Amino acid sequence: MIAAAGLLAGCPAGLPDPPEPTPPQERGPVTVTPGPTCAAPVAGADRWTTVEVGLDFVLEDDVTLTACPRAPGAVVASDLDGDGDIDLVFPRREGFPRVFANAGDGTFTEAWPGPSGVARDILGALAADLDGDRLPELLLVGEGFAAVAHNRGGLTFDVPVSIWWEETYPVACYQSAAVGDVDGDGDLDLFLPGLDPAASPGEVPVGSLPDTGTWDRLFLGDGTGGFEHVLDLSPPDGPWLSMLAAFTDRDGDGDLDLLVLPDRGRDGRPGASFFRNDGLDGEGVPLLVDDAPALGADIHPDAMGLVAEDLDGDGRLDYCVSDLLGELRCLVADEVGYHEAGAALGLVADAPAHPEWDPVAGQWSPWSIDALDYDADGDLDLVAAAGAPPGPGGVAATAYPGVQPDALFERSPDGFVDVAEAAGWWTAGGWSYGLATADLSRDGFPDVVQGRYAEPPVVRANACGEGHWVIVQLDGPDGNREGFGATVEVSVGDLTWRRELPALRTVGQSAPELHFGLAQADQIDGLVVHWPDGEVTAAQVLPADSVLRVRHPGRS
């Protein structure tokens, strides 16, 4: 159910001093850590400030053209050292990703520079604890490969070990990856959406990108960081260009289905695939059936970002996709499948109102998108990072060089409204691609981190306010300690919010925790976690303004 919208008074803009720690309390399967009280709430646009937090670097390879189409500015937010705050990772084409440690107050210093990288171009990274020690590994994907760098503590990592390596060119370009427990055994599995083929090492496409598809690859995990390739997937007519994918329980039946979204899906080309999970075959391989056409989910976008949220309060997940349009495209669940309703929801960017908007070159191009209740009023808002679409070889070859304003869609009684200009978001400039939301200063209100092209990252600090909140963290089985793919339900009175914990979505991965705004409620009446392996954890009457770590039944 969508709670009443309304601006709440909000804390001074900027990052506050770190709060004094409060001892955690055990409430059955939930560890409760009380958060700070907002001393000086701030409301409205004044709550957002762009702050200097130690991320004053530019990735040196942003302007280099490459054999694989590459979106620069990827960003990953995760607690990499187990100290309770959110660290940041910025993948780069060559060398190990740059890792920045959070001092606990939302400021950052670069950690150990890392081991050697991978011999081929890196296109993306994902953080996930694969072995149960609460120290997330880094999964790297790129030009014909996937590899894992095991976390050995203290923000140090082992040399990446190959999961998948295509020896003979042409090889598939893997821009992103998805993790989830698709076979229900408690371990994370891996899916690699195949984008363009790279013809040969270092060969940059000339003129235009070839419309040639590659296979999507499914790997089952063993709970220690190892993976076995078990299945290749594609649209019905053969391999195509898959930009991103997500494991998600679309139908609430307790197992994870698989949504795969295309790049260049227009003009009669293959659209989205939505694979229903029908259990396992006799060899333990998931039975995945693409029924997107029957559901009305076979949209044809140039997909670049994704959120999976219950946008209309009916208890079913809806799916919004960024596309080369002036709006987000949303698959809203109904009784028989899905219908498109992005524009009807008001998810239309105000980009043409920007003073530097070029109506000829202008084509609003959103990338990473995410949902957050930034003012804790009980309604989910949406944020979108925007940057010019890459041309052959990368963004430096784009055919759309105009301004690309980011969007901040605030929930209103009638849908969503883009308030980015009023919030001061248009002043930062630049092209954004990766985006992550995370409570960087641990004040209970989520901030936004954006990766940029040829510019330093941007942190949009969100001031605290009067609204109450809870942050739900999951303590899952060893093979999926963060609980990716779990569904969390939080209830207050007759209102219930249902959210699913995502991992990487193309070039942005938000912190592996779920923030719920509660408006004026000072406690939650019920908390239910549906784990991807079929287990359920439930608790009642928990305090607001707290971090709630919920244990899997196997950890009790």
Side-chain angles (χ1 to χ4, degrees):
M1 187 71 68
I2 300 298
L7 292 176
L8 302 171
C11 292
L15 296 168
D17 293 332
E20 290 295 323
T22 302
Q25 309 160 8
E26 298 297 326
R27 300 279 190 94
V30 181
T31 301
V32 179
T33 302
T37 299
C38 188
V42 172
D46 291 340
R47 69 186 311 115
W48 292 104
T49 55
T50 302
V51 295
E52 298 295 331
V53 295
L55 301 176
D56 53 348
F57 69 93
V58 176
L59 290 177
E60 66 276 10
D61 57 359
D62 272 353
V63 298
T64 303
L65 296 180
T66 56
C68 288
R70 189 173 65 91
V75 58
V76 173
S78 183
D79 181 6
L80 297 175
D81 52 6
D83 64 356
D85 53 42
I86 301 300
D87 310 301
L88 297 175
V89 178
F90 298 91
R92 49 185 170 176
R93 182 176 68 90
E94 295 181 330
F96 199 75
R98 298 185 71 167
V99 177
F100 287 79
N102 191 334
D105 60 356
T107 62
F108 296 86
T109 55
E110 189 161 10
W112 172 65
S116 59
V118 181
R120 294 178 181 170
D121 285 352
I122 296 171
L123 303 179
L126 181 154
D129 180 10
L130 302 176
D131 54 16
D133 60 0
R134 292 213 69 89
L135 295 173
E137 278 63 54
L138 288 180
L139 284 157
L140 309 179
V141 298
E143 189 176 318
F145 79 89
V148 58
H150 285 272
N151 191 333
R152 60 190 191 194
L155 292 171
T156 62
F157 294 84
D158 289 332
V159 173
V161 176
S162 176
I163 297 171
W164 177 255
W165 187 270
E166 298 173 9
E167 292 283 355
T168 305
Y169 281 78
V171 300
C173 295
Y174 299 112
Q175 173 76 63
S176 66
V179 292
D181 183 9
V182 71
D183 58 359
D185 65 353
D187 302 332
L188 282 176
D189 308 306
L190 172 67
F191 185 76
L192 299 181
L195 198 57
D196 298 83
S200 62
E203 181 179 336
V204 177
V206 177
S208 62
L209 292 167
D211 285 339
T212 304
T214 58
W215 290 101
D216 303 327
R217 316 283 187 180
L218 178 66
F219 304 77
L220 297 184
D222 63 7
T224 67
F227 293 91
E228 178 187 3
H229 173 227
V230 298
L231 199 60
D232 290 335
L233 296 172
S234 77
D237 294 331
W240 184 237
L241 305 169
S242 299
M243 188 69 175
L244 75 154
F247 291 106
T248 176
D249 185 4
R250 71 181 195 194
D251 45 17
D253 65 353
D255 58 28
L256 292 181
D257 310 294
L258 178 62
L259 175 60
V260 184
L261 292 161
D263 188 21
R264 284 162 274 161
R266 305 185 188 283
D267 302 324
R269 297 163 176 170
S273 295
F274 214 157
F275 293 95
R276 185 183 70 243
N277 190 338
D278 281 350
L280 306 177
D281 66 14
E283 297 181 355
V285 176
L287 295 167
L288 300 176
V289 179
D290 181 11
D291 57 358
L295 296 173
D298 56 335
I299 56 175
H300 293 255
D302 294 271
M304 295 170 286
L306 171 70
V307 293
E309 299 286 354
D310 178 10
L311 297 178
D312 54 7
D314 66 355
R316 294 177 291 219
L317 289 175
D318 310 302
Y319 300 90
C320 288
V321 181
S322 54
D323 193 6
L324 292 179
L325 295 171
E327 65 192 57
L328 303 184
R329 300 184 67 178
C330 295
L331 294 173
V332 176
D334 53 36
E335 295 297 331
V336 297
Y338 300 91
H339 61 275
E340 276 202 68
L345 288 170
L347 291 169
V348 179
D350 200 27
H354 194 285
E356 300 176 24
W357 183 256
D358 183 343
V360 177
Q363 174 178 274
W364 190 59
S365 177
W367 285 80
S368 291
I369 57 178
D370 203 1
L372 74 168
D373 184 356
Y374 71 80
D375 52 6
D377 66 352
D379 292 337
L380 279 179
D381 312 297
L382 295 181
V383 57
V395 170
T398 183
Y400 301 93
V403 65
Q404 290 288 336
D406 303 319
L408 174 63
F409 295 105
E410 181 178 81
R411 184 78 197 201
S412 73
D414 298 323
F416 291 88
V417 178
D418 185 359
V419 296
E421 180 184 12
W425 281 36
W426 283 3
T427 61
W431 292 341
S432 298
Y433 294 88
L435 177 147
T437 61
D439 181 6
L440 298 177
S441 58
R442 284 303 186 217
D443 64 355
F445 284 74
D447 310 295
V448 176
V449 185
Q450 292 176 247
R452 295 296 185 105
Y453 167 68
E455 292 183 6
V458 169
V459 172
R460 301 188 189 275
N462 180 18
C464 59
E466 288 184 345
H468 294 294
W469 52 271
V470 292
I471 292 175
V472 178
Q473 299 174 342
L474 302 179
D475 192 3
D478 283 351
N480 184 14
R481 197 69 188 268
E482 289 113 330
F484 290 120
T487 299
V488 178
E489 297 173 356
V490 168
S491 298
V492 174
D494 60 355
L495 298 176
T496 297
W497 296 270
R498 178 176 184 249
R499 302 193 66 191
E500 189 175 70
L501 184 65
L504 177 70
R505 300 287 168 87
T506 313
V507 287
Q509 181 179 350
S510 295
E513 54 191 29
L514 293 172
H515 173 275
F516 293 83
L518 304 177
Q520 301 307 313
D522 59 5
Q523 69 176 31
I524 62 173
D525 299 324
L527 172 65
V528 180
V529 178
H530 298 271
W531 301 89
D533 62 0
E535 296 285 352
V536 177
T537 303
Q540 294 180 329
V541 189
L542 296 166
D545 305 330
S546 301
V547 177
L548 309 177
R549 175 163 288 183
V550 186
R551 291 186 295 278
H552 183 275
R555 307 207 77 86
S556 300

Coordinates of all heavy atoms in Angstrom, one line a residue, residues 111 114 287 291 546:
A111 N 41.8 2.7 -0.7 CA 42.4 1.5 0.0 C 43.5 1.0 -0.8 O 44.0 1.6 -1.8 CB 41.3 0.4 0.2
G114 N 45.3 -2.9 -4.8 CA 44.7 -4.1 -5.4 C 45.8 -4.9 -6.1 O 46.9 -4.4 -6.4
L287 N 14.8 -25.3 -14.8 CA 13.9 -25.3 -16.0 C 13.3 -23.9 -16.2 O 12.5 -23.4 -15.4 CB 12.8 -26.3 -15.8 CG 13.2 -27.8 -15.7 CD1 12.0 -28.6 -15.2 CD2 13.7 -28.3 -17.1
D291 N 8.1 -16.8 -21.1 CA 6.7 -16.6 -21.4 C 6.4 -15.1 -21.5 O 5.3 -14.6 -21.2 CB 5.8 -17.3 -20.5 CG 6.0 -16.9 -19.0 OD1 6.9 -16.1 -18.7 OD2 5.2 -17.4 -18.1
S546 N 16.1 2.4 13.2 CA 17.1 1.3 13.6 C 17.5 0.6 12.4 O 16.8 0.5 11.4 CB 16.4 0.4 14.6 OG 16.0 1.0 15.8

